[in-house]
Amino acid sequence: MATADLLEIEGLSTYFDTEEGTVRAVDGVSLRVRPGETVCIVGESGCGKSITAMSIMGLVGTNGTAGRIAGGRIRYEDRDLLRLNKHELRTIRGHEIAMIFQEPMSSLNPVLPIGEQIMEPLIEHLKLSKKAARARAIELIAQVGIARPEQIAKAYPHELSGGMLQRIMIAIAISCGPKLLIADEPTTALDVTIQAQILDMLRQFKAESDMSILLITHDLGVVAEMADYVVVMYAGKVVEEGEVVELFERPKHPYTQGLLKSKPIMGQRQDELYSIPGQVPNPLELKPSCYFYERCEHAMDVCRRAEPTLKGVGEQGSVACWLYEEEAIVHG
Amino acid sequence: MSTITGGVAESEVAPAKRPLARSSLWRLAARKLLKNKLALAGLFVVVFMFALCFIGPLFSPYTDNKIHMALMNKAPNLKHWLGTDALGRDVLTRVMQAGRISLTVGLASMVLSVFLGSLLGAIAGYYRGIADQVIMRIADLLMTIPSLPLLFILGALLSEWKVPTDYRMYIVMLMLSFVSWPGLARMVRGEVLSLREREFMQAATVLGLRDRRKLFKHLLPNLVPLLIVIASLNVGGAILSESVLSFFGLGVMPPTPTWGNMIDSANNLIDFQQRPWLWIPPGFSIFATVIAINIFGDGLRDVLDPKPKK
Ligand SMILES: Nc1ncnc2c1ncn2[C@@H]1O[C@H](COP(=O)(O)OP(=O)(O)O)[C@@H](O)[C@H]1O
Ligand SMILES: [Mg+2]
């Protein structure tokens, strides 16, 4: 691709030191987001998706968690986010990179009126006066499709529904015109019809402003609707990535195939939904191997002994699986 | 799936609760408080005592505190409803004037200790590290010494240093705050430690807000309910401590009357047995005020504390 990447993560490792041992929540993850592109990180719960997002935002090691970035680089435009000082990081957060969380109810301050919470980044980053910020906040509330914005601005979070609150979170996130929006399971806590509206709204803002989206989800339905490019994570590692159409039509990794098989198909009645047997392995007991081999239909001897690396296959995609490695045949 | 297109209107939003007025949080609390009869009774007594002490003396003809030898130790009668003391002064007027001092000392020392305790507790909990270590070790040290003996030592020092009696009232306020901020700081710190881990604080970090703004705009407003409860309970404690100090002659000194030193001046066998009008009124005032404040404070806690109980 000709365009330069907006965000480029290389070999990111985020570990948690616990009493039982080191949890490698994110283990050598690389991914890139180009301007105007929507990249989805998909994988089951506990695969390290949220920790990846928190690493980008510089939230690891703050807020009382024992996590640490053990290695890697996170390049945003021409800056390495991991090397920025507190002040430089603050001018990027909320201004150039915004983030929305899974639970809109708990991400808003319960004792501050909604309007004031929208005003804050406007005052901090765009240096608006209080009055101008208030007017802009009301505009933003209207822009995310909520009626009676003046009244809503005075309301407290507990007075609104989850769907409305997530709209407010989006309003806050887009308020300073970010170049990158990180959304961590933004629709998981909402019911299906509201989900569709929220996704539509994200798409609409993206089209209007050319911002990039890094969308984290465990729902392949969301991926199909939103993604340009998909990164599949399993147990802290990227196991497959590729263009969305290619990945959905020709999934390479048995894990991706399993995820796709377990996705409900719209408008089609299924008697029993497939689910991948077994569970995500305990992150403390991982030896060099393919972490998926216990659950894999195609597990071979080599999968137990050595870790496959992410290698390019086809035109765009990459996969980390011994099935696609010449070496496997030699050793196997 | 994308059957719903672009522009989204209110009608598509799940039926939301109708936004209430701006002060809805407080209005909700007020409504709950009105249902709590015991707390209301406490509030009523507190308000009554304040009114009595601050407005009452305006209607008394005996506020000059002149010594009338002819009127010494008279039992309650129509002219002097609660009798007179050893110097012929009206006891009711003295009780009201003493209440002004006692309530003022209680309130002022509460304001000071809530300010100190919440500031230091918030700093310790929010910044942790060295600040936390220093502040909390000092607090621990002060808390290992029971506060009453500590107050006695301080009071004795004051007497030793011959602090002018006019200033003693202010110094007693400082002393009371000095012994009560550590407990308060510890409570506030605990609350801040749990608040700072909440997701909305992480969201504030992600918005790129400054530390000071996160602390004062986002975190502290969440502490207000706790602070109100602590503050109200603290006033009761401060009034009690001041009374005890004054009773032992280590607090505010006569002729400035306080409830404590009024009881102290009736502290002999004859007054105790034969002139109950000298010590029952100030004693009852302390008792009623402190109990009422504590009942009201407990009621406030039930109303304002978001954590479910039972
Ligand atoms: N504070 C923590 N201490 C120890 N381990 C953690 C902590 N937070 C997350 N983890 C581990 O990191 C892994 C990835 O978590 P997360 O990124 O939240 O998963 P998800 O993909 O569901 O978002 C999990 O296996 C979890 O056990
Ligand atoms: Mg997650």
Side-chain angles (χ1 to χ4, degrees), chain A residues 76-90:
Chain A
Y76 168 76
E77 289 189 327
D78 50 1
R79 285 156 284 180
D80 185 347
L81 292 185
L82 296 178
R83 282 164 194 254
L84 295 187
N85 64 32
K86 234 176 125 180
H87 171 77
E88 291 166 323
L89 202 55
R90 209 181 58 225

Side-chain angles (χ1 to χ4, degrees), chain A residues 30-41:
Chain A
S30 301
L31 61 85
R32 53 189 56 201
V33 182
R34 286 181 274 258
E37 186 184 42
T38 299
V39 174
C40 279
I41 303 181

Side-chain angles (χ1 to χ4, degrees), chain A residues 264-284:
Chain A
I265 300 161
M266 275 292 152
Q268 194 173 321
R269 205 188 147 92
Q270 286 150 302
D271 290 332
E272 212 174 306
L273 213 52
Y274 173 83
S275 74
I276 307 174
Q279 280 166 354
V280 180
N282 181 344
L284 286 167

Side-chain angles (χ1 to χ4, degrees), chain B residues 272-291:
Chain B
F272 182 74
Q273 286 183 337
Q274 291 167 15
R275 301 179 189 125
W277 63 87
L278 291 182
W279 55 268
I280 287 180
F284 180 77
S285 301
I286 297 171
F287 175 78
T289 309
V290 172
I291 295 271

Side-chain angles (χ1 to χ4, degrees), chain A residues 16 18 23 25 43-52 65-67 184-185 216 283:
Chain A
F16 289 89
T18 64
V23 177
E44 288 165 292
S45 176
C47 286
K49 307 182 301 289
S50 295
I51 303 296
T52 304
T65 54
D184 188 356
E185 312 247 7
I216 292 171

